[in-house]
Amino acid sequence: MLERYGHGGDLWTAEEAFGRPRDQFLDFSSNMNPLGPPPAIRGIWMDAWRDVVKYPDPAVRELRHKLAQKYKIEMESILVGNGAAELIDLTARVLKPAVTGLARPSFSEYEEAIHKTGGRIYNIPLRSSHQFELQQPDVEAALSAVDLFFLGHPNNPTGRLLPRHVVESLLESGRSCVLDEAFMDFVPDEQEHSFLKLASTSRKLVVIRSMTKFYSIPGIRLGFMVAHPDLIREIRQQQVQWSVNYLAQRIGTAVLEGEEFELASRHWLQDEKAWLTGQLRQLGLDVVPTDVNFVLFSFPPELGLTIKQAQKHMGQMGILIRDASLFEGLNEQYGRVAIRLREDNERLIEGLRQTVAALAQNRGRTHD
Ligand SMILES: Cc1ncc(COP(=O)(O)O)c(C=O)c1O
């Protein structure tokens, strides 16, 4: 199983499973911006080695300052972490909710983090009949049962934003809410949808952001969270000292310079999202409309195919796709693919075309 350690993008496991060097896979199983990383990183990499003899800034001042300027919030409301993954874990440990509402399918680290604190999960179903959009009645039904909502905005693996009125009504109810906005940079009109600014002063709302996806630096590990300064102080006390290394701090600060990369990324995604979702539909797949840089799809039942079969067949061709049936709430027909550059996307579509044809033929034979 390619997701042996819980996530996509595990090229080491792919190498073991398919006997092909890990740099020879085309990876659609993790959702990185194919335009990245921004060019500034190369210079930093060549230069930063001189400073490995020093400790990194324990307060991550330069990067927090840049983030505060970009989002027009106070530095005291920002904590930088070793990837959003660290901040998900820290937030759960400090808030320590007895019962957490998760709208599932969702990113598995929410559940992991809650379980580590001994908390229980309340399942809020995201329904395929509503194209996996969170529904107000399902949130209302959860209100009396949960202390905290932990929600993806946009959500992984569905790619859907939360409806604004649902989040607002949830906050009005007085419940606490953590929004994971790891993929928010990919959303057109991000400012209209993000709750980051509100989180900087609210005592009920926390927003977590990742910098690894949009800037394509998952190997560096970098994310930040925004919350009321009192909560930020409390969470920081639980964070391991120097958790954000020197290289990550410098790279994070550099990628926030200028708007060129952001604009180019938005352009690419707008075109490529339309093209790729159109092609997937032409292959006969059921495609969930997406607000971000990945697409959830399923094989219609009449094709009789499972994602596990397809993942194996594609892996043998050197193309990695995500088995989304491993997400709670999705069946064995569901897969997820990242949106990449056109040439790669064409290879994905051709690979899927061949896979669907080959598996359908095999199935025909076993029924003869
Ligand atoms: C929804 C979501 N949140 C958070 C993360 C973790 O991001 P990071 O690489 O910043 O730890 C991921 C990674 O896949 C993710 O999909």
Side-chain angles (χ1 to χ4, degrees):
M1 175 168 88
L2 282 183
E3 295 81 1
R4 189 188 297 164
Y5 294 98
H7 300 286
D10 180 354
L11 297 172
W12 283 261
T13 299
E15 187 174 84
E16 284 170 16
F18 300 115
R20 176 191 286 256
R22 59 179 174 270
D23 59 357
Q24 286 178 23
F25 286 100
L26 194 47
D27 183 17
F28 287 86
S29 71
S30 75
N31 307 311
M32 298 303 144
N33 182 347
L35 299 190
I41 290 186
R42 191 181 281 257
I44 293 174
W45 205 270
M46 307 298 271
D47 177 57
W49 67 271
R50 289 172 224 280
D51 287 305
V52 295
V53 295
K54 302 176 201 152
Y55 277 95
D57 175 6
V60 198
R61 275 162 280 206
E62 236 185 302
L63 175 52
R64 283 174 51 237
H65 180 65
K66 267 266 153 62
L67 289 167
Q69 277 183 329
K70 173 168 177 170
Y71 294 107
K72 301 186 177 54
I73 56 176
E74 297 297 321
M75 268 174 82
E76 287 64 35
S77 297
I78 304 173
L79 179 67
V80 180
N82 195 265
E86 184 195 26
L87 300 169
I88 291 169
D89 180 75
L90 275 173
T91 304
R93 275 201 279 135
V94 170
L95 296 182
K96 221 174 176 313
V99 185
T100 303
L102 298 186
R104 293 199 283 194
S106 64
F107 186 50
S108 60
E109 294 296 323
Y110 312 154
E111 181 169 348
E112 298 267 328
I114 296 299
H115 279 153
K116 279 190 232 163
T117 69
R120 284 191 296 118
I121 304 290
Y122 179 101
N123 193 41
I124 305 169
L126 295 172
R127 302 166 199 279
S128 59
S129 52
H130 286 112
Q131 301 275 31
F132 296 99
E133 193 179 67
L134 183 62
Q135 299 297 300
Q136 178 84 18
D138 291 324
V139 172
E140 278 167 15
L143 278 179
S144 60
V146 311
D147 316 290
L148 176 77
F149 289 86
F150 214 124
L151 305 170
H153 179 54
N155 187 49
N156 177 11
T158 59
R160 303 305 309 262
L161 282 162
L162 296 169
R164 193 167 189 94
H165 69 277
V166 175
V167 180
E168 283 169 354
S169 75
L170 189 158
L171 292 172
E172 276 164 25
S173 79
R175 292 290 175 286
S176 296
C177 184
V178 179
L179 296 181
D180 176 6
E181 294 191 353
F183 288 95
M184 186 55 88
D185 308 76
F186 291 100
V187 174
D189 305 323
E190 170 195 338
Q191 294 89 334
E192 272 177 37
H193 297 284
S194 173
F195 284 87
L196 186 152
K197 214 168 159 55
L198 184 60
S200 70
T201 52
S202 166
R203 289 195 177 269
K204 291 287 175 194
L205 178 65
V206 173
V207 164
I208 295 176
R209 301 282 291 243
S210 170
M211 293 181 74
T212 70
K213 285 111 190 13
F214 191 71
Y215 298 106
S216 228
I217 49 172
I220 285 294
R221 318 299 307 123
L222 194 63
F224 64 98
M225 63 182 290
V226 175
H228 189 280
D230 292 348
L231 181 62
I232 290 291
R233 226 172 286 122
E234 215 183 314
I235 293 182
R236 176 160 154 56
Q237 279 166 8
Q238 299 302 319
Q239 188 178 32
V240 171
Q241 190 70 293
W242 306 296
S243 170
V244 186
N245 69 70
Y246 174 72
L247 202 52
Q249 293 193 28
R250 272 199 64 183
I251 287 177
T253 309
V255 295
L256 294 174
E257 294 282 350
E259 283 184 341
E260 248 172 73
F261 182 79
E262 270 181 47
L263 292 176
S265 301
R266 299 246 157 81
H267 244 101
W268 148 76
L269 185 55
Q270 191 183 357
D271 293 349
E272 223 41 42
K273 190 198 293 186
W275 187 84
L276 186 67
T277 50
Q279 292 288 313
L280 290 169
R281 287 195 177 103
Q282 275 184 27
L283 286 182
L285 308 188
D286 291 330
V287 176
V288 178
T290 179
D291 293 307
V292 281
N293 63 323
F294 56 83
V295 187
L296 182 68
F297 65 87
S298 64
F299 296 117
E302 60 273 18
L303 284 182
L305 306 180
T306 68
I307 190 67
K308 284 193 171 42
Q309 295 168 322
Q311 188 192 54
K312 187 168 170 204
H313 197 270
M314 299 280 289
Q316 285 160 349
M317 298 162 81
I319 302 173
L320 303 180
I321 59 174
R322 179 74 156 94
D323 175 356
S325 73
L326 299 169
F327 288 92
E328 176 81 33
L330 294 181
N331 66 26
E332 57 184 11
Q333 268 92 44
Y334 278 91
R336 193 198 66 200
V337 288
I339 302 173
R340 298 180 53 122
L341 298 178
R342 176 63 57 92
E343 203 180 312
D344 292 346
N345 293 335
E346 282 172 350
R347 278 184 62 193
L348 171 75
I349 293 299
E350 185 49 33
L352 275 170
R353 192 188 316 281
Q354 289 178 22
T355 298
V356 169
L359 293 177
Q361 201 176 30
N362 281 350
R363 196 166 156 262
R365 272 203 213 105
T366 53
H367 282 79
D368 284 346

PDB file of all heavy atoms in Angstrom, residues 20-46:
ATOM      1  N   ARG A  20      11.205   0.815  -9.089  1.00  0.00           N
ATOM      2  CA  ARG A  20      11.662   1.853 -10.022  1.00  0.00           C
ATOM      3  C   ARG A  20      12.265   2.973  -9.180  1.00  0.00           C
ATOM      4  O   ARG A  20      11.734   3.281  -8.107  1.00  0.00           O
ATOM      5  CB  ARG A  20      10.408   2.337 -10.753  1.00  0.00           C
ATOM      6  CG  ARG A  20      10.575   3.477 -11.713  1.00  0.00           C
ATOM      7  CD  ARG A  20       9.190   3.993 -12.119  1.00  0.00           C
ATOM      8  NE  ARG A  20       8.491   3.124 -13.044  1.00  0.00           N
ATOM      9  CZ  ARG A  20       8.366   3.360 -14.342  1.00  0.00           C
ATOM     10  NH1 ARG A  20       8.885   4.435 -14.880  1.00  0.00           N
ATOM     11  NH2 ARG A  20       7.705   2.543 -15.118  1.00  0.00           N
ATOM     12  N   PRO A  21      13.399   3.580  -9.610  1.00  0.00           N
ATOM     13  CA  PRO A  21      14.009   4.633  -8.785  1.00  0.00           C
ATOM     14  C   PRO A  21      13.014   5.757  -8.493  1.00  0.00           C
ATOM     15  O   PRO A  21      12.218   6.114  -9.352  1.00  0.00           O
ATOM     16  CB  PRO A  21      15.162   5.152  -9.652  1.00  0.00           C
ATOM     17  CG  PRO A  21      15.415   4.079 -10.646  1.00  0.00           C
ATOM     18  CD  PRO A  21      14.130   3.344 -10.852  1.00  0.00           C
ATOM     19  N   ARG A  22      13.094   6.294  -7.271  1.00  0.00           N
ATOM     20  CA  ARG A  22      12.021   7.208  -6.839  1.00  0.00           C
ATOM     21  C   ARG A  22      11.960   8.511  -7.634  1.00  0.00           C
ATOM     22  O   ARG A  22      10.925   9.150  -7.684  1.00  0.00           O
ATOM     23  CB  ARG A  22      12.096   7.487  -5.343  1.00  0.00           C
ATOM     24  CG  ARG A  22      13.370   8.107  -4.838  1.00  0.00           C
ATOM     25  CD  ARG A  22      13.275   8.350  -3.337  1.00  0.00           C
ATOM     26  NE  ARG A  22      14.541   8.824  -2.817  1.00  0.00           N
ATOM     27  CZ  ARG A  22      15.506   8.048  -2.363  1.00  0.00           C
ATOM     28  NH1 ARG A  22      15.343   6.738  -2.346  1.00  0.00           N
ATOM     29  NH2 ARG A  22      16.626   8.559  -1.922  1.00  0.00           N
ATOM     30  N   ASP A  23      13.078   8.904  -8.269  1.00  0.00           N
ATOM     31  CA  ASP A  23      13.005  10.140  -9.061  1.00  0.00           C
ATOM     32  C   ASP A  23      12.404   9.884 -10.449  1.00  0.00           C
ATOM     33  O   ASP A  23      12.321  10.793 -11.270  1.00  0.00           O
ATOM     34  CB  ASP A  23      14.383  10.812  -9.150  1.00  0.00           C
ATOM     35  CG  ASP A  23      15.420   9.908  -9.783  1.00  0.00           C
ATOM     36  OD1 ASP A  23      15.074   8.738 -10.091  1.00  0.00           O
ATOM     37  OD2 ASP A  23      16.563  10.338  -9.980  1.00  0.00           O
ATOM     38  N   GLN A  24      11.985   8.635 -10.710  1.00  0.00           N
ATOM     39  CA  GLN A  24      11.390   8.366 -12.028  1.00  0.00           C
ATOM     40  C   GLN A  24       9.868   8.203 -11.977  1.00  0.00           C
ATOM     41  O   GLN A  24       9.273   7.644 -12.890  1.00  0.00           O
ATOM     42  CB  GLN A  24      12.055   7.139 -12.634  1.00  0.00           C
ATOM     43  CG  GLN A  24      13.456   7.455 -13.120  1.00  0.00           C
ATOM     44  CD  GLN A  24      14.171   6.256 -13.692  1.00  0.00           C
ATOM     45  OE1 GLN A  24      13.557   5.289 -14.132  1.00  0.00           O
ATOM     46  NE2 GLN A  24      15.499   6.320 -13.674  1.00  0.00           N
ATOM     47  N   PHE A  25       9.258   8.647 -10.882  1.00  0.00           N
ATOM     48  CA  PHE A  25       7.791   8.615 -10.813  1.00  0.00           C
ATOM     49  C   PHE A  25       7.223   9.993 -11.128  1.00  0.00           C
ATOM     50  O   PHE A  25       7.817  11.015 -10.772  1.00  0.00           O
ATOM     51  CB  PHE A  25       7.323   8.211  -9.408  1.00  0.00           C
ATOM     52  CG  PHE A  25       7.511   6.745  -9.127  1.00  0.00           C
ATOM     53  CD1 PHE A  25       8.601   6.311  -8.388  1.00  0.00           C
ATOM     54  CD2 PHE A  25       6.595   5.817  -9.598  1.00  0.00           C
ATOM     55  CE1 PHE A  25       8.779   4.968  -8.127  1.00  0.00           C
ATOM     56  CE2 PHE A  25       6.767   4.466  -9.337  1.00  0.00           C
ATOM     57  CZ  PHE A  25       7.865   4.036  -8.596  1.00  0.00           C
ATOM     58  N   LEU A  26       6.070   9.972 -11.754  1.00  0.00           N
ATOM     59  CA  LEU A  26       5.306  11.207 -11.912  1.00  0.00           C
ATOM     60  C   LEU A  26       4.270  11.180 -10.791  1.00  0.00           C
ATOM     61  O   LEU A  26       3.394  10.306 -10.768  1.00  0.00           O
ATOM     62  CB  LEU A  26       4.650  11.169 -13.294  1.00  0.00           C
ATOM     63  CG  LEU A  26       4.069  12.434 -13.862  1.00  0.00           C
ATOM     64  CD1 LEU A  26       5.016  13.612 -13.737  1.00  0.00           C
ATOM     65  CD2 LEU A  26       3.717  12.199 -15.331  1.00  0.00           C
ATOM     66  N   ASP A  27       4.405  12.102  -9.844  1.00  0.00           N
ATOM     67  CA  ASP A  27       3.635  11.977  -8.601  1.00  0.00           C
ATOM     68  C   ASP A  27       2.393  12.867  -8.601  1.00  0.00           C
ATOM     69  O   ASP A  27       2.504  14.091  -8.477  1.00  0.00           O
ATOM     70  CB  ASP A  27       4.547  12.318  -7.407  1.00  0.00           C
ATOM     71  CG  ASP A  27       3.822  12.131  -6.093  1.00  0.00           C
ATOM     72  OD1 ASP A  27       2.775  11.454  -6.077  1.00  0.00           O
ATOM     73  OD2 ASP A  27       4.312  12.656  -5.068  1.00  0.00           O
ATOM     74  N   PHE A  28       1.235  12.229  -8.706  1.00  0.00           N
ATOM     75  CA  PHE A  28      -0.040  12.953  -8.573  1.00  0.00           C
ATOM     76  C   PHE A  28      -0.681  12.671  -7.217  1.00  0.00           C
ATOM     77  O   PHE A  28      -1.825  13.026  -6.983  1.00  0.00           O
ATOM     78  CB  PHE A  28      -1.013  12.524  -9.683  1.00  0.00           C
ATOM     79  CG  PHE A  28      -0.641  13.057 -11.035  1.00  0.00           C
ATOM     80  CD1 PHE A  28       0.266  12.377 -11.841  1.00  0.00           C
ATOM     81  CD2 PHE A  28      -1.186  14.243 -11.504  1.00  0.00           C
ATOM     82  CE1 PHE A  28       0.616  12.867 -13.083  1.00  0.00           C
ATOM     83  CE2 PHE A  28      -0.840  14.744 -12.746  1.00  0.00           C
ATOM     84  CZ  PHE A  28       0.068  14.058 -13.542  1.00  0.00           C
ATOM     85  N   SER A  29       0.073  11.997  -6.327  1.00  0.00           N
ATOM     86  CA  SER A  29      -0.531  11.573  -5.059  1.00  0.00           C
ATOM     87  C   SER A  29      -0.329  12.589  -3.947  1.00  0.00           C
ATOM     88  O   SER A  29      -0.917  12.477  -2.882  1.00  0.00           O
ATOM     89  CB  SER A  29       0.047  10.220  -4.631  1.00  0.00           C
ATOM     90  OG  SER A  29       1.395  10.360  -4.211  1.00  0.00           O
ATOM     91  N   SER A  30       0.561  13.575  -4.144  1.00  0.00           N
ATOM     92  CA  SER A  30       0.640  14.685  -3.184  1.00  0.00           C
ATOM     93  C   SER A  30       0.445  15.975  -3.983  1.00  0.00           C
ATOM     94  O   SER A  30       0.714  16.005  -5.190  1.00  0.00           O
ATOM     95  CB  SER A  30       1.970  14.683  -2.427  1.00  0.00           C
ATOM     96  OG  SER A  30       2.993  15.145  -3.262  1.00  0.00           O
ATOM     97  N   ASN A  31      -0.031  17.009  -3.299  1.00  0.00           N
ATOM     98  CA  ASN A  31      -0.602  18.151  -4.033  1.00  0.00           C
ATOM     99  C   ASN A  31       0.287  19.391  -3.996  1.00  0.00           C
ATOM    100  O   ASN A  31      -0.022  20.363  -3.324  1.00  0.00           O
ATOM    101  CB  ASN A  31      -1.973  18.472  -3.445  1.00  0.00           C
ATOM    102  CG  ASN A  31      -2.865  17.246  -3.405  1.00  0.00           C
ATOM    103  OD1 ASN A  31      -2.998  16.538  -4.401  1.00  0.00           O
ATOM    104  ND2 ASN A  31      -3.438  16.967  -2.254  1.00  0.00           N
ATOM    105  N   MET A  32       1.403  19.327  -4.705  1.00  0.00           N
ATOM    106  CA  MET A  32       2.330  20.455  -4.713  1.00  0.00           C
ATOM    107  C   MET A  32       2.104  21.333  -5.943  1.00  0.00           C
ATOM    108  O   MET A  32       1.714  20.844  -7.004  1.00  0.00           O
ATOM    109  CB  MET A  32       3.780  19.952  -4.742  1.00  0.00           C
ATOM    110  CG  MET A  32       4.145  19.145  -3.525  1.00  0.00           C
ATOM    111  SD  MET A  32       3.887  20.068  -2.008  1.00  0.00           S
ATOM    112  CE  MET A  32       3.320  18.758  -0.928  1.00  0.00           C
ATOM    113  N   ASN A  33       2.403  22.600  -5.780  1.00  0.00           N
ATOM    114  CA  ASN A  33       2.334  23.543  -6.898  1.00  0.00           C
ATOM    115  C   ASN A  33       3.468  23.232  -7.883  1.00  0.00           C
ATOM    116  O   ASN A  33       4.647  23.341  -7.528  1.00  0.00           O
ATOM    117  CB  ASN A  33       2.491  24.962  -6.337  1.00  0.00           C
ATOM    118  CG  ASN A  33       2.387  26.035  -7.401  1.00  0.00           C
ATOM    119  OD1 ASN A  33       2.428  25.747  -8.583  1.00  0.00           O
ATOM    120  ND2 ASN A  33       2.258  27.273  -6.951  1.00  0.00           N
ATOM    121  N   PRO A  34       3.149  22.836  -9.126  1.00  0.00           N
ATOM    122  CA  PRO A  34       4.212  22.434 -10.059  1.00  0.00           C
ATOM    123  C   PRO A  34       5.071  23.606 -10.536  1.00  0.00           C
ATOM    124  O   PRO A  34       6.104  23.389 -11.153  1.00  0.00           O
ATOM    125  CB  PRO A  34       3.431  21.819 -11.223  1.00  0.00           C
ATOM    126  CG  PRO A  34       2.098  22.477 -11.175  1.00  0.00           C
ATOM    127  CD  PRO A  34       1.812  22.755  -9.730  1.00  0.00           C
ATOM    128  N   LEU A  35       4.658  24.840 -10.265  1.00  0.00           N
ATOM    129  CA  LEU A  35       5.493  25.994 -10.659  1.00  0.00           C
ATOM    130  C   LEU A  35       6.605  26.231  -9.639  1.00  0.00           C
ATOM    131  O   LEU A  35       7.525  27.009  -9.873  1.00  0.00           O
ATOM    132  CB  LEU A  35       4.654  27.266 -10.788  1.00  0.00           C
ATOM    133  CG  LEU A  35       3.531  27.261 -11.810  1.00  0.00           C
ATOM    134  CD1 LEU A  35       2.969  28.662 -11.972  1.00  0.00           C
ATOM    135  CD2 LEU A  35       4.010  26.740 -13.154  1.00  0.00           C
ATOM    136  N   GLY A  36       6.482  25.590  -8.495  1.00  0.00           N
ATOM    137  CA  GLY A  36       7.452  25.841  -7.435  1.00  0.00           C
ATOM    138  C   GLY A  36       8.609  24.885  -7.455  1.00  0.00           C
ATOM    139  O   GLY A  36       8.640  23.967  -8.264  1.00  0.00           O
ATOM    140  N   PRO A  37       9.608  25.075  -6.565  1.00  0.00           N
ATOM    141  CA  PRO A  37       9.645  26.189  -5.631  1.00  0.00           C
ATOM    142  C   PRO A  37      10.060  27.484  -6.325  1.00  0.00           C
ATOM    143  O   PRO A  37      10.680  27.439  -7.384  1.00  0.00           O
ATOM    144  CB  PRO A  37      10.719  25.760  -4.621  1.00  0.00           C
ATOM    145  CG  PRO A  37      11.602  24.829  -5.376  1.00  0.00           C
ATOM    146  CD  PRO A  37      10.743  24.161  -6.402  1.00  0.00           C
ATOM    147  N   PRO A  38       9.740  28.636  -5.720  1.00  0.00           N
ATOM    148  CA  PRO A  38      10.126  29.912  -6.337  1.00  0.00           C
ATOM    149  C   PRO A  38      11.648  29.995  -6.496  1.00  0.00           C
ATOM    150  O   PRO A  38      12.386  29.443  -5.673  1.00  0.00           O
ATOM    151  CB  PRO A  38       9.639  30.959  -5.316  1.00  0.00           C
ATOM    152  CG  PRO A  38       8.614  30.265  -4.497  1.00  0.00           C
ATOM    153  CD  PRO A  38       9.002  28.821  -4.462  1.00  0.00           C
ATOM    154  N   PRO A  39      12.117  30.687  -7.545  1.00  0.00           N
ATOM    155  CA  PRO A  39      13.546  30.683  -7.874  1.00  0.00           C
ATOM    156  C   PRO A  39      14.448  31.211  -6.749  1.00  0.00           C
ATOM    157  O   PRO A  39      15.605  30.787  -6.653  1.00  0.00           O
ATOM    158  CB  PRO A  39      13.643  31.600  -9.093  1.00  0.00           C
ATOM    159  CG  PRO A  39      12.265  32.011  -9.455  1.00  0.00           C
ATOM    160  CD  PRO A  39      11.299  31.422  -8.499  1.00  0.00           C
ATOM    161  N   ALA A  40      13.943  32.073  -5.870  1.00  0.00           N
ATOM    162  CA  ALA A  40      14.780  32.664  -4.814  1.00  0.00           C
ATOM    163  C   ALA A  40      15.430  31.599  -3.925  1.00  0.00           C
ATOM    164  O   ALA A  40      16.492  31.826  -3.330  1.00  0.00           O
ATOM    165  CB  ALA A  40      13.926  33.582  -3.948  1.00  0.00           C
ATOM    166  N   ILE A  41      14.829  30.430  -3.890  1.00  0.00           N
ATOM    167  CA  ILE A  41      15.311  29.392  -2.975  1.00  0.00           C
ATOM    168  C   ILE A  41      16.723  28.914  -3.318  1.00  0.00           C
ATOM    169  O   ILE A  41      17.532  28.620  -2.451  1.00  0.00           O
ATOM    170  CB  ILE A  41      14.329  28.210  -2.977  1.00  0.00           C
ATOM    171  CG1 ILE A  41      13.056  28.665  -2.290  1.00  0.00           C
ATOM    172  CG2 ILE A  41      14.915  26.993  -2.291  1.00  0.00           C
ATOM    173  CD1 ILE A  41      12.055  27.609  -2.078  1.00  0.00           C
ATOM    174  N   ARG A  42      17.006  28.885  -4.601  1.00  0.00           N
ATOM    175  CA  ARG A  42      18.317  28.370  -5.037  1.00  0.00           C
ATOM    176  C   ARG A  42      19.463  29.182  -4.407  1.00  0.00           C
ATOM    177  O   ARG A  42      20.403  28.608  -3.848  1.00  0.00           O
ATOM    178  CB  ARG A  42      18.404  28.433  -6.565  1.00  0.00           C
ATOM    179  CG  ARG A  42      19.571  27.698  -7.138  1.00  0.00           C
ATOM    180  CD  ARG A  42      19.547  27.863  -8.639  1.00  0.00           C
ATOM    181  NE  ARG A  42      18.556  26.955  -9.227  1.00  0.00           N
ATOM    182  CZ  ARG A  42      18.897  25.833  -9.830  1.00  0.00           C
ATOM    183  NH1 ARG A  42      20.155  25.478  -9.929  1.00  0.00           N
ATOM    184  NH2 ARG A  42      17.988  25.045 -10.345  1.00  0.00           N
ATOM    185  N   GLY A  43      19.350  30.508  -4.462  1.00  0.00           N
ATOM    186  CA  GLY A  43      20.391  31.371  -3.910  1.00  0.00           C
ATOM    187  C   GLY A  43      20.540  31.168  -2.401  1.00  0.00           C
ATOM    188  O   GLY A  43      21.654  31.115  -1.879  1.00  0.00           O
ATOM    189  N   ILE A  44      19.411  31.032  -1.718  1.00  0.00           N
ATOM    190  CA  ILE A  44      19.442  30.847  -0.260  1.00  0.00           C
ATOM    191  C   ILE A  44      20.160  29.544   0.075  1.00  0.00           C
ATOM    192  O   ILE A  44      20.991  29.464   0.964  1.00  0.00           O
ATOM    193  CB  ILE A  44      18.004  30.830   0.307  1.00  0.00           C
ATOM    194  CG1 ILE A  44      17.381  32.213   0.149  1.00  0.00           C
ATOM    195  CG2 ILE A  44      17.982  30.393   1.766  1.00  0.00           C
ATOM    196  CD1 ILE A  44      15.936  32.289   0.526  1.00  0.00           C
ATOM    197  N   TRP A  45      19.834  28.540  -0.693  1.00  0.00           N
ATOM    198  CA  TRP A  45      20.417  27.222  -0.459  1.00  0.00           C
ATOM    199  C   TRP A  45      21.956  27.284  -0.552  1.00  0.00           C
ATOM    200  O   TRP A  45      22.666  26.720   0.273  1.00  0.00           O
ATOM    201  CB  TRP A  45      19.878  26.248  -1.513  1.00  0.00           C
ATOM    202  CG  TRP A  45      19.900  24.836  -1.048  1.00  0.00           C
ATOM    203  CD1 TRP A  45      20.908  23.944  -1.184  1.00  0.00           C
ATOM    204  CD2 TRP A  45      18.855  24.160  -0.354  1.00  0.00           C
ATOM    205  NE1 TRP A  45      20.568  22.753  -0.627  1.00  0.00           N
ATOM    206  CE2 TRP A  45      19.306  22.859  -0.106  1.00  0.00           C
ATOM    207  CE3 TRP A  45      17.578  24.530   0.080  1.00  0.00           C
ATOM    208  CZ2 TRP A  45      18.528  21.917   0.563  1.00  0.00           C
ATOM    209  CZ3 TRP A  45      16.814  23.593   0.729  1.00  0.00           C
ATOM    210  CH2 TRP A  45      17.289  22.307   0.971  1.00  0.00           C
ATOM    211  N   MET A  46      22.439  28.004  -1.566  1.00  0.00           N
ATOM    212  CA  MET A  46      23.893  28.084  -1.773  1.00  0.00           C
ATOM    213  C   MET A  46      24.574  28.867  -0.648  1.00  0.00           C
ATOM    214  O   MET A  46      25.728  28.629  -0.331  1.00  0.00           O
ATOM    215  CB  MET A  46      24.208  28.802  -3.101  1.00  0.00           C
ATOM    216  CG  MET A  46      23.518  28.225  -4.305  1.00  0.00           C
ATOM    217  SD  MET A  46      23.994  26.533  -4.601  1.00  0.00           S
ATOM    218  CE  MET A  46      25.416  26.829  -5.634  1.00  0.00           C
TER     219      MET A  46
END
